Amino acid sequence: MEVFLFIALVFIYILTAFAVPDLIVKRVWLLGFVAAFALTAISIMFISTGKQTVLMQESEMNWYYFLYLFGSMAVILGLINLWIYRKGVLNLFTRTDEDDD
């Protein structure tokens, strides 16, 4: 299923790269990243606060543990990257199409 999702996203990116201006492409894909980032953060928060039995014990080393570990790392790294590039992100959404020459 992940392969189909990857192929679909690449296809959509190719279509948007040829059909719309670069500024719009950057905005759309950054918003997609931020939305996926927020959903990951919210789902990790629900898993950790809900005390559900989705995750196994660390000694069992189930793949859910690795998913939780790397999901948590992705949230932290995403926050750091958004903080580092905050001026570029703000400029991307406040700039108009005329400035893209």
Side-chain angles (χ1 to χ4, degrees), residues 4-15:
F4 295 125
L5 180 63
F6 177 74
I7 291 170
L9 288 176
V10 168
F11 181 70
I12 292 171
Y13 174 74
I14 291 170
L15 286 178

Side-chain angles (χ1 to χ4, degrees), residues 44 47-48 55 63-73:
I44 288 174
I47 287 173
S48 64
L55 298 178
W63 72 276
Y64 285 117
Y65 176 72
F66 290 111
L67 180 66
Y68 181 78
L69 176 69
F70 288 111
S72 300
M73 286 174 47

Side-chain angles (χ1 to χ4, degrees), residues 76-93:
I76 295 167
L77 291 173
L79 285 174
I80 292 170
N81 281 314
L82 286 175
W83 178 256
I84 290 172
Y85 298 112
R86 67 188 178 275
K87 290 181 183 176
V89 171
L90 291 175
N91 287 337
L92 179 67
F93 288 108

Side-chain angles (χ1 to χ4, degrees), residues 6-98:
F6 177 74
I7 291 170
L9 288 176
V10 168
F11 181 70
I12 292 171
Y13 174 74
I14 291 170
L15 286 178
T16 57
F18 288 119
V20 295
D22 289 334
L23 183 64
I24 303 299
V25 171
K26 289 178 183 177
R27 285 180 182 170
V28 165
W29 288 98
L30 182 66
L31 282 175
F33 165 72
V34 169
F37 174 77
L39 287 173
T40 303
I42 291 169
S43 63
I44 288 174
M45 181 186 67
F46 280 133
I47 287 173
S48 64
T49 59
K51 303 292 185 217
Q52 297 174 354
T53 59
V54 174
L55 298 178
M56 297 295 186
Q57 298 295 327
E58 292 86 2
S59 61
E60 296 177 4
M61 299 303 275
N62 195 340
W63 72 276
Y64 285 117
Y65 176 72
F66 290 111
L67 180 66
Y68 181 78
L69 176 69
F70 288 111
S72 300
M73 286 174 47
V75 169
I76 295 167
L77 291 173
L79 285 174
I80 292 170
N81 281 314
L82 286 175
W83 178 256
I84 290 172
Y85 298 112
R86 67 188 178 275
K87 290 181 183 176
V89 171
L90 291 175
N91 287 337
L92 179 67
F93 288 108
T94 58
R95 191 170 63 179
T96 60
D97 285 335
E98 293 86 27

